[in-house]
Amino acid sequence: MLTFAEEILLLTLDDKKGDFRPLHEQAMRTALAGALLMDLAMADRIDTDLQHLFVINTDPVGDPLLDETLGRLRAVQDRQNAAYWLNEIAWQTENLRPRVLQRLVDRGVLKVEDRKILWVFAQRRYPLIDDREVKEVRARLRELIFNKEIPDAREAVLIGLVHACGMIDTLFEEHELPQVMPRVMEVARLDLIGREVDRAIRDIFMAMTSYNVHTIAE
């Protein structure tokens, strides 16, 4: 089974071009940090309440990236909230996105393809080797939204991440969005960490908008 971080990165892939949708670096880092925290929560290593995120089991998961994240959480004595840890993990985890991307290559989901444009400019693409994983993720999440049943924790978490990243249009056609968005919002609100990811990414985009408006005014 893919991790949340791997699934989120895979959903940003343009299947036909073998390239990734443009997403602001800070937003992408925040989403991947949230995904790591959610994987730890699903592995019963951390828990959250309305004020804090805290470690409940210090045993290694057996996944290098998750165990590195768990070690960082353990190293801080005072309890911090989810927003603190999203920022800490997003910016203190070295090569976060490249490491998640390499995992997809190592799993045989993607392959690396280097080529030259006009024989000069280097371009790296990541075509899917087998589109089964990305199709399975998309089908699973579409079914969750349309069937109106109570979601399991994993699906609710993933919907929250996809919504926070502004990637709902990777799952649904434009004409479906008015119908599905109330249900998407309902599911996304079920997870505390997901809500913090959503808030953090919205703050990032609001800051970017404010900066752009200020720059144009000058």
Side-chain angles (χ1 to χ4, degrees):
M1 179 182 290
L2 298 180
T3 65
F4 285 126
E6 290 163 353
E7 288 185 318
I8 282 295
L9 194 56
L10 193 57
L11 285 172
T12 69
L13 183 70
D14 184 319
D15 305 355
K16 296 179 180 179
K17 296 180 180 178
D19 203 355
F20 292 91
R21 291 162 54 99
L23 188 64
H24 189 272
E25 173 70 8
Q26 190 174 354
M28 187 75 254
R29 282 176 177 262
T30 301
L32 292 176
L36 294 179
L37 290 175
M38 289 170 176
D39 272 312
L40 288 174
M42 292 293 291
D44 295 322
R45 296 306 191 274
I46 64 172
D47 202 352
T48 58
D49 56 29
L50 294 177
Q51 286 80 37
H52 302 108
L53 184 150
F54 45 90
V55 175
I56 57 173
N57 184 344
T58 60
D59 292 343
V61 179
D63 177 296
L65 193 49
L66 293 179
D67 287 340
E68 178 183 324
T69 305
L70 182 60
R72 182 168 283 118
L73 290 161
R74 290 173 53 193
V76 174
Q77 298 298 318
D78 297 331
R79 285 189 175 184
Q80 303 290 341
N81 60 24
Y84 169 89
W85 283 115
L86 284 173
N87 185 69
E88 178 74 10
I89 294 166
W91 294 103
Q92 298 304 317
T93 305
E94 187 175 356
N95 298 321
L96 178 53
R97 183 176 178 276
R99 289 168 70 182
V100 176
L101 181 55
Q102 185 61 48
R103 290 162 65 110
L104 288 169
V105 174
D106 292 342
R107 284 180 181 269
V109 178
L110 302 178
K111 63 180 178 180
V112 181
E113 186 178 278
D114 292 312
R115 64 175 183 169
K116 297 285 188 179
I117 300 176
L118 299 177
W119 298 280
V120 176
F121 303 104
Q123 182 186 55
R124 172 160 287 186
R125 299 173 67 251
Y126 295 90
L128 284 164
I129 294 175
D130 183 346
D131 64 359
R132 178 184 56 192
E133 285 85 358
V134 69
K135 283 183 176 179
E136 188 274 334
V137 173
R138 288 174 180 162
R140 196 172 84 233
L141 297 183
R142 282 180 59 85
E143 181 180 2
L144 164 65
I145 296 302
F146 282 121
N147 68 19
K148 305 294 184 181
E149 295 178 359
I150 298 173
D152 68 24
R154 185 173 186 84
E155 291 169 340
V157 162
L158 196 50
I159 282 290
L161 280 173
V162 171
H163 175 260
C165 294
M167 297 193 308
I168 289 298
D169 62 347
T170 66
L171 303 176
F172 302 98
E173 301 293 336
E174 186 175 354
H175 71 273
E176 294 175 318
L177 292 177
Q179 175 188 354
V180 302
M181 283 309 297
R183 168 70 168 163
V184 168
M185 297 292 292
E186 175 190 357
V187 173
R189 284 195 293 265
L190 294 176
D191 181 77
L192 285 173
I193 297 176
R195 294 210 301 262
E196 286 298 333
V197 174
D198 183 68
R199 181 181 299 131
I201 292 179
R202 281 192 285 110
D203 288 347
I204 290 167
F205 286 128
M206 287 178 63
M208 290 168 55
T209 302
S210 175
Y211 174 80
N212 290 338
V213 169
H214 180 71
T215 301
I216 292 172
E218 291 180 344

